[in-house]
Amino acid sequence: MASAGPEILDIPPAKLISSKTHILPGALLVTELFFRVPLDYARDIGSITLFARSVTKNETPIFAPDDEAPPKPYLVYLEGGPGFGNREPQDHPLTRPVLSRGYQLLLLDYRGVGLSTPVNAQMLSMVPGGEAGQANYLSLMRQDNTVRDCEAVRKCLTEGWPTHKKPWSIFGQSYGGFVSLSYLSMHPEGLREVFLTGGLAPVGKTPDQVYEATFRRTLTRNRDYYRKFPEDVQKVRDIAAHIESKGGRIPLPAGGYLTIPRLLTLGIAFGGHGGIDNVHSVILQLKTSLDQFGVLSRASLLLLEGFTPLDTNIIYAIIHEAIYCDGPQNASRWAAYRVGRAHESFLWLNESWTLSETSGDLNFSGEMIFPQHFDTYPELISLRPVAEILAQRDDWPSLYNQEKLAINKVPVYAASYLDDMYVESEFARDTAKLVAGTKVFETNVMYHSALRAKSEDVLRALFDLRDDVLD
């Protein structure tokens, strides 16, 4: 049943507390911005700091202009995740294409990530109220409050602009698309146009439905992996056997442990361009170390340890399933874990499983978070009770308003990947049909990371949707 939609609250303008401008190589004029916004827009319980970079071309006119140039319209990039800040503008695939089309680019770090009051275990230990207080704090890090932050920043940055110029454009990659659909549900008046890449969220689908679909996609990618690297069937089993022979866990250089479940979560990379090859490289390093030394060397363990950086991006792990909880009576209850351990291809998720119970391929998991993550990553270990509270929560606020999306007036231009391992394409198609005014470019020759891997092709297709006509 469709939820009533997110609560619409009064959003005061963010307070700009710092602005510093620098020129970067490549003629980029970058302004580093810090803002103050409420932690909770519904209750006065303090504030947090947001960080953003605005990027324009650094232009030196031959003649001094007679009048001050009007501000360029903003295009706001909404990063995937949740849990990751923005990369530097000189390394961002959108910077030059966006500037060449007359926008200024705004790279806004979501609350709790990047430089926007980033969440970590140490700072959470200082949140009042113990584990329940920490869970409440983390529950404020989802799409709905990110939209409110964006609106607060928009009102701040466009103060004094003509009314018709105040709405801005947004570009949502992956989870950034989830934020974009919440934005359309909550404050479409703040938007001029929306671009999405792999971001047509599964609106109206439960967490269980999401993971049933993504496990199927992940299994297909496992077959692709072992078809390309058949020798890795035995290599993966040999590494798993070594881990099992050491009592099931091997200490890692920076803390935490290598377990068989942690080894098999490397498959999260399968959904991106080059991901299969990257996993093979890690397996090759580990197996070579075993063959040459009889142990897993520090170098090989460091490579594995840094593969999925959850210790520095804990929001990705701890509220990952919460982004699919759209409204009350929609607890996740470790949905990925429940769905996966019931699947015969992922029996290693069961705690009593041993290697001898499975012959042949050991299948990797994909973009899923399990309770086992909170046993093996040092930054997550102390947060296991907090993660449990969030997993059992069943009074989540709504994230989308399907009735409002069905009468949407803001143009939406979306790239959707038919073989996307992270965002199920059939669900994406349902969402595209739901959101009025959506134009979609579908392809089976790109994966979820195409914005980075094939940025020129993706952006050409998206802007063609906006600028070209069918007839």
Side-chain angles (χ1 to χ4, degrees):
M1 188 170 99
S3 62
E7 186 177 2
I8 306 303
L9 303 172
D10 179 52
I11 309 297
K15 181 181 179 182
L16 181 63
I17 56 178
S18 175
S19 174
K20 304 292 183 183
T21 300
H22 311 279
I23 301 172
L24 298 186
L28 300 178
L29 190 67
V30 177
T31 302
E32 297 166 349
L33 303 161
F34 284 93
F35 304 91
R36 184 77 64 192
V37 297
L39 171 60
D40 188 339
Y41 287 86
R43 299 174 297 152
D44 184 8
I45 57 172
S47 62
I48 57 173
T49 301
L50 300 180
F51 175 75
R53 291 184 177 95
S54 69
V55 191
T56 59
K57 291 180 181 178
N58 182 51
E59 299 175 327
T60 305
I62 297 175
F63 294 109
D66 296 328
D67 298 301
E68 185 177 348
K72 295 182 182 295
Y74 281 103
L75 185 144
V76 185
Y77 177 71
L78 302 173
E79 180 62 282
F84 301 100
N86 280 290
R87 66 189 65 196
E88 299 284 337
Q90 63 269 32
D91 299 325
H92 203 288
L94 277 188
T95 299
R96 284 170 177 78
V98 162
L99 300 189
S100 69
R101 286 175 168 87
Y103 299 95
Q104 59 178 312
L105 178 64
L106 187 72
L107 302 172
L108 176 65
D109 287 350
Y110 302 140
R111 53 171 49 206
V113 309
L115 297 181
S116 292
T117 318
V119 169
N120 56 70
Q122 184 178 20
M123 67 84 66
L124 284 173
S125 70
M126 296 183 282
V127 173
E131 292 164 355
Q134 294 171 34
N136 286 333
Y137 186 96
L138 288 164
S139 72
L140 297 171
M141 302 291 126
R142 299 193 311 155
Q143 298 98 298
D144 48 355
N145 282 308
T146 293
V147 169
R148 295 176 181 119
D149 290 342
C150 288
E151 272 297 277
V153 170
R154 183 184 68 84
K155 291 178 179 180
C156 174
L157 292 180
T158 62
E159 184 178 0
W161 288 24
T163 300
H164 70 282
K165 291 186 176 182
K166 288 188 174 184
W168 59 15
S169 306
I170 58 176
F171 193 113
Q173 157 65 16
S174 188
Y175 172 71
F178 294 35
V179 176
S180 301
L181 289 163
S182 291
Y183 212 143
L184 289 169
S185 297
M186 297 169 66
H187 293 286
E189 72 278 3
L191 300 176
R192 183 179 307 281
E193 58 189 349
V194 176
F195 298 92
L196 304 176
T197 50
L200 284 165
V203 176
K205 304 299 189 293
T206 66
D208 284 43
Q209 288 175 303
V210 168
Y211 290 111
E212 286 163 1
T214 53
F215 265 110
R216 288 194 296 271
R217 294 284 181 185
T218 301
L219 192 55
T220 297
R221 292 299 282 160
N222 272 277
R223 293 183 185 123
D224 294 339
Y225 174 78
Y226 285 121
R227 187 180 303 115
K228 183 171 185 177
F229 300 109
E231 68 275 20
D232 283 10
V233 172
Q234 191 58 49
K235 288 179 180 177
V236 172
R237 293 190 65 86
D238 288 347
I239 297 165
H242 178 74
I243 296 170
E244 200 169 74
S245 74
K246 299 298 181 181
R249 64 183 200 171
I250 295 172
L252 290 168
Y257 304 95
L258 172 59
T259 61
I260 294 175
R262 179 155 178 178
L263 174 72
L264 295 177
T265 58
L266 291 174
I268 192 172
F270 284 172
H273 289 275
I276 280 178
D277 302 304
N278 293 336
V279 172
H280 169 71
S281 293
V282 176
I283 296 302
L284 181 62
Q285 289 265 2
L286 294 169
K287 183 59 166 66
T288 299
S289 178
L290 274 183
D291 289 345
Q292 294 179 352
F293 309 115
V295 297
L296 296 175
S297 68
R298 182 182 182 89
S300 66
L301 291 174
L302 281 171
L303 181 64
L304 177 141
E305 192 172 43
F307 197 83
T308 307
L310 297 185
D311 286 316
T312 53
N313 300 278
I314 67 172
I315 279 182
Y316 185 88
I318 204 161
I319 67 165
H320 200 90
E321 292 195 352
I323 69 173
Y324 298 111
C325 296
D326 183 15
Q329 308 305 313
N330 213 350
S332 71
R333 297 188 177 90
W334 298 107
Y337 179 62
R338 288 186 292 101
V339 171
R341 68 199 297 253
H343 199 298
E344 63 179 10
S345 297
F346 299 94
L347 292 177
W348 54 264
L349 282 168
N350 292 282
E351 292 184 10
S352 61
W353 176 88
T354 60
L355 185 59
S356 62
E357 296 176 41
T358 303
S359 61
D361 302 354
L362 286 178
N363 288 301
F364 293 84
S365 60
E367 190 179 39
M368 297 99 180
I369 296 296
F370 310 121
Q372 290 95 324
H373 283 89
F374 293 84
D375 298 329
T376 59
Y377 285 83
E379 191 77 2
L380 298 181
I381 289 172
S382 66
L383 297 174
R384 174 68 181 268
V386 181
E388 191 65 44
I389 293 172
L390 292 170
Q392 302 305 325
R393 179 173 175 172
D394 64 358
D395 62 345
W396 290 104
S398 298
L399 294 171
Y400 310 110
N401 186 320
Q402 294 189 39
E403 291 183 1
K404 189 176 286 187
L405 292 174
I407 58 171
N408 170 58
K409 302 296 183 184
V410 180
V412 178
Y413 311 104
S416 184
Y417 312 119
L418 294 176
D419 296 321
D420 199 325
M421 197 180 82
Y422 307 131
V423 179
E424 169 57 40
S425 60
E426 289 299 323
F427 296 166
R429 190 170 289 172
D430 291 341
T431 299
K433 292 176 181 177
L434 168 67
V435 183
T438 300
K439 293 183 178 180
V440 183
F441 160 69
E442 287 188 332
T443 178
N444 65 351
V445 296
M446 296 180 187
Y447 293 126
H448 192 76
S449 62
L451 179 61
R452 293 191 297 272
K454 297 190 175 186
S455 56
E456 185 176 337
D457 295 336
V458 172
L459 293 173
R460 183 190 307 114
L462 281 178
F463 282 104
D464 279 350
L465 289 177
R466 188 191 68 174
D467 300 333
D468 207 350
V469 294
L470 291 175
D471 297 308

